[in-house]
Amino acid sequence: MRASRLLSVLLLLQARGRMTAQELADELEVSVRTIYRDVDSLSAAGVPVYADRGPAGGYQLLAGYRTQLTGMTTAEAESLFLSGMPDQAKQLGLGEVLAAAQLKLMAALPPELRARAESIRERFLLDAPGWFREDESAPHLAAVAGAVWEQRRIAVRYRRWGNSEVERVLEPLGLVLKNATWYLVASADSEPRTYRVSRILALEPTDEKFERPGDFDLAKHWEMSAERVQSTLWKGQATVRLSPQGRKMAFLLGPVVGRALRDHTPEPDDDGWVTVTMPIETNLHALHAILQLGPDAEVLEPEELREMFVQAAADLARLYT
């Protein structure tokens, strides 16, 4: 652990130039006293690190000195694909590995490219989770990820929709992050299926390895699965009038409905209202979704859904009088 930290101090000074003891301590999540000891150890080992005193001072390496200890481990190289998603890397158990890989990569770059990379990191950030929701708790995510890497079967107890529980032995083929939710694509009985990782109630790793199908493509499989899910979910349509404010609030109805409104919105009438046709899952789902828009939405069709809104409005009126 200490040897790894000493190397990190060395690479940080090589990649960033002068750094104060406090900056090094914050970066490595240790005390300033620990940094003092680490710098003394580096000096004793012959590393030309020296300190400048004063408000603008700090530690730095002798000009021209560069270490060649920047070779990445296999795990560090594999973690770089998550470089834009540090929180998700931590969930997979790769947080420290990713940080080490990024540090080694920065240290290996020539000064002009290093400055360019730092500039990009300061200006661009990928924040994967959507608004208005928190990441799901998935306590078995790291174990699932390990099984994916190692191609080992896992025995799980899984809660299906409807809250029934089943036990399965799965061959994990890949993980997908969709709207802050992790999904496992795994083979059961030689057929790839999708499992929500947060619904895994118990997991037992096995020593049994499996052969990954040579023709399996995770991206293509996920695209086809998403299309199937969407075609089964959106079974009907509703004709709805929206006020100008209702159009602004249409994002509350979800991305599929929002895209339909953007692609097929007619010209507004004299009062600014528009009549649109939107996809719906069921009448009950549409009732609860469109009620979020309050008086800025009026359902015209289907008649059954309109009657449900009449009843809901009457119930609300009785509740608040």
Side-chain angles (χ1 to χ4, degrees):
M1 181 65 178
R2 185 165 185 268
S4 175
R5 192 178 64 247
L6 289 174
L7 178 58
S8 295
V9 171
L10 177 57
L11 292 177
L12 280 168
L13 293 176
Q14 180 173 307
R16 302 186 188 179
R18 182 186 287 111
M19 294 183 69
T20 67
Q22 186 63 61
E23 288 172 338
L24 287 166
D26 292 342
E27 185 73 29
L28 300 177
E29 299 181 349
V30 296
S31 67
V32 173
R33 187 180 297 274
T34 298
I35 295 298
Y36 292 154
R37 290 197 297 265
D38 288 347
V39 171
D40 288 342
S41 297
L42 288 173
S43 297
V47 176
V49 57
Y50 66 94
D52 290 325
R53 299 185 181 278
Y59 293 111
Q60 63 180 356
L61 295 171
L62 188 67
Y65 176 83
R66 293 183 64 82
T67 177
Q68 300 302 313
L69 299 176
T70 55
M72 291 187 189
T73 66
T74 301
E76 290 167 351
E78 290 170 341
S79 73
L80 281 176
F81 82 100
L82 288 168
S83 58
M85 297 183 290
D87 290 340
Q88 286 68 38
K90 289 180 181 178
Q91 292 174 5
L92 292 171
L94 295 173
E96 293 183 2
V97 173
L98 175 61
Q102 291 175 324
L103 181 56
K104 289 182 178 181
L105 182 60
M106 291 296 291
L109 292 174
E112 63 276 9
L113 291 183
R114 188 186 313 146
R116 183 68 174 170
E118 288 284 4
S119 179
I120 291 174
R121 186 166 64 177
E122 291 172 355
R123 288 164 173 78
F124 298 96
L125 174 68
L126 174 62
D127 187 9
W131 293 105
F132 312 118
R133 63 180 301 172
E134 298 180 353
D135 291 352
E136 286 188 334
S137 174
H140 299 291
L141 178 59
V144 171
V148 171
W149 285 117
E150 299 170 5
Q151 292 183 208
R152 294 188 183 276
R153 294 185 177 92
I154 53 176
V156 303
R157 181 161 53 87
Y158 185 78
R159 186 176 72 250
R160 297 189 296 190
W161 298 107
N163 289 326
S164 63
E165 297 181 8
V166 296
E167 294 185 355
R168 293 279 189 273
V169 175
L170 303 177
E171 297 179 351
L173 301 174
L175 279 165
V176 177
L177 180 64
K178 173 74 170 178
N179 289 340
T181 300
W182 286 99
Y183 295 91
L184 168 66
V185 178
S187 179
D189 301 326
S190 301
E191 181 182 350
R193 298 179 181 176
T194 302
Y195 301 85
R196 195 162 177 158
V197 177
S198 62
R199 289 179 170 267
I200 295 178
L201 305 177
L203 183 147
E204 186 70 31
T206 74
D207 294 329
E208 302 174 8
K209 302 202 74 170
F210 66 92
E211 288 296 325
R212 185 182 178 87
D215 58 350
F216 179 76
D217 186 309
L218 180 61
K220 289 182 179 179
H221 172 83
W222 182 258
E223 181 180 2
M224 294 174 60
S225 297
E227 290 176 354
R228 285 197 302 269
V229 169
Q230 184 164 309
S231 64
T232 57
L233 283 179
W234 305 99
K235 298 179 180 179
Q237 291 183 328
T239 303
V240 182
R241 290 182 69 238
L242 295 175
S243 72
Q245 182 63 22
R247 293 172 63 188
K248 293 178 182 179
M249 298 172 61
F251 70 91
L252 293 172
L253 304 180
V256 174
V257 173
R259 184 167 58 250
L261 297 182
R262 288 194 302 270
D263 295 343
H264 305 289
T265 301
E267 290 296 320
D269 60 21
D270 294 339
D271 296 323
W273 287 63
V274 296
T275 301
V276 297
T277 300
M278 63 178 64
I280 61 173
E281 294 184 34
T282 64
N283 285 342
L284 182 60
H285 178 273
L287 171 68
H288 292 294
I290 300 174
L291 271 176
Q292 298 177 92
L293 306 185
D296 292 297
E298 178 192 3
V299 173
L300 303 179
E301 293 180 342
E303 184 62 29
E304 180 184 354
L305 179 57
R306 183 177 175 86
E307 292 175 356
M308 291 172 67
F309 271 87
V310 172
Q311 183 62 52
D315 293 341
L316 285 171
R318 282 195 300 272
L319 180 63
Y320 285 96
T321 54

